[in-house]
Amino acid sequence: MKDTVSIYGTELNSRLLIGSALYPSPQIMQDAIIASGAEIVTLSISRQNPQDNGGQHFWNIIQSLGVHILPNTAGCHSVKDAVNMAKMSREIFQTDWVKLELVGDDYNLQPDPIDLVQATEILLNDGFKVLPYCTDDLVIARHLVELGCEVLMPWGSPIGTGKGLLNPYALQAIRDRYPDITLIVDSGIGLPSHAVQAMEMGVDAILLNTAIAHANKPQQMAEAFKKSIEAGRSAYLAGPMTEQKSAQPSTPKIDSPFWHHSA
């Protein structure tokens, strides 16, 4: 049986989602997406509109890759703006998927938890398949799941910081509380080692943009993240060893003393 990840019933082989912003050129973006093996690419009509002449070349590149499009509501600061942008994206890109982003604070671009829940309810009732970008708060996660979200996208750390997982405990709590929800760590992942750490926790997938787009060699970094996510997933499925309080010899000799961890 293949180890796939489900996005509202769509089964995907790749556990890496990739963004389309910030690349030095459209060609570098295309090469990085291909190298990543990602099957989902995020984009925003606030940055690239395929209906205007300026965005047509960009849109043609994305279409040629044969990937799933995940429109996002990046830059929205109100429920009304986010809902309107989601509806525009559905019409333009012909998909009911939406990565719901709602900025609550311009200092660290933290998602607004209250408006996020409200906008999620509106969009779910309108037939959207909502992938909400949220903080790692377990209670907010509960509200989103109770509304009907099948996917959650908590941050690892503030977007664009590259700081990795600031609160692994909080992410693990969401994973343990909702084992059947597709959990995607979104934002703050700066190194392949950060991605490995998240995947070893049982997270289902990683969404990346800045860490790849701003690398000196985006294509090579995309390949590195692809491999690290695969390694982290394999480690999770293999079942990591239990940490010990004291050293344990890997090859104890007969009649040689060594410390035992008493129960």
Side-chain angles (χ1 to χ4, degrees):
M1 185 176 179
K2 297 188 71 174
D3 180 38
T4 58
V5 58
S6 177
I7 306 294
Y8 283 95
T10 298
E11 300 298 324
L12 303 170
N13 295 309
S14 174
R15 293 177 180 272
L16 171 57
L17 291 68
I18 192 168
S20 57
L22 307 175
Y23 292 89
S25 71
Q27 185 61 55
I28 291 175
M29 176 198 70
Q30 181 178 4
D31 293 342
I33 292 173
I34 293 172
S36 74
E39 297 172 72
I40 293 179
V41 174
T42 67
L43 50 80
S44 173
I45 60 174
S46 66
R47 298 190 180 121
Q48 296 286 350
N49 189 340
Q51 289 188 331
D52 66 36
N53 294 329
Q56 189 62 48
H57 176 58
F58 170 86
W59 178 233
N60 288 340
I61 291 175
I62 297 296
Q63 285 185 307
S64 72
L65 296 174
V67 295
H68 295 275
I69 300 298
L70 177 58
N72 64 49
T73 60
C76 289
H77 288 72
S78 71
V79 173
K80 180 180 179 180
D81 287 346
V83 169
N84 287 340
M85 185 176 288
K87 291 180 178 180
M88 291 173 62
S89 296
R90 179 166 61 181
E91 181 177 347
I92 292 171
F93 301 116
Q94 296 297 300
T95 179
D96 54 8
W97 285 5
V98 61
K99 176 190 170 187
L100 182 58
E101 299 184 43
L102 240 165
V103 178
D105 184 87
D106 286 325
Y107 177 71
N108 67 354
L109 302 180
Q110 178 173 327
D112 187 312
I114 299 171
D115 285 353
L116 180 68
V117 170
Q118 184 179 345
T120 295
E121 184 173 16
I122 293 171
L123 292 174
L124 286 172
N125 288 336
D126 194 28
F128 282 89
K129 295 179 173 64
V130 181
L131 292 77
Y133 169 54
C134 55
T135 61
D136 52 18
D137 186 286
L138 180 60
V139 176
I140 295 302
R142 176 176 64 81
H143 285 296
L144 294 169
V145 170
E146 289 176 351
L147 285 174
C149 289
E150 297 179 16
V151 179
L152 296 178
M153 305 183 77
W155 69 359
S157 52
I159 189 168
T161 63
K163 291 181 176 296
L165 308 184
L166 292 185
N167 195 341
Y169 172 83
L171 289 172
Q172 189 69 64
I174 297 174
R175 173 74 293 168
D176 294 344
R177 178 69 175 82
Y178 299 106
D180 297 325
I181 291 293
T182 298
L183 196 62
I184 303 173
V185 171
D186 177 11
S187 87
I189 300 294
L191 295 169
S193 57
H194 298 158
V196 171
Q197 181 186 8
M199 296 303 297
E200 288 174 343
M201 296 166 56
V203 165
D204 293 293
I206 305 290
L207 194 155
L208 292 166
N209 192 169
T210 308
I212 293 176
H214 280 187
N216 290 332
K217 299 180 179 179
Q219 182 177 351
Q220 186 171 342
M221 185 61 78
E223 294 173 351
F225 271 109
K226 176 184 178 181
K227 293 174 182 177
S228 69
I229 289 170
E230 292 172 349
R233 179 63 179 176
S234 294
Y236 170 72
L237 294 176
M241 64 171 284
T242 302
E243 291 187 6
Q244 304 293 327
K245 292 184 178 180
S246 60
Q248 304 290 321
S250 57
T251 53
K253 296 180 179 179
I254 298 175
D255 297 328
S256 294
F258 58 85
W259 292 105
H260 286 281
H261 173 61
S262 58

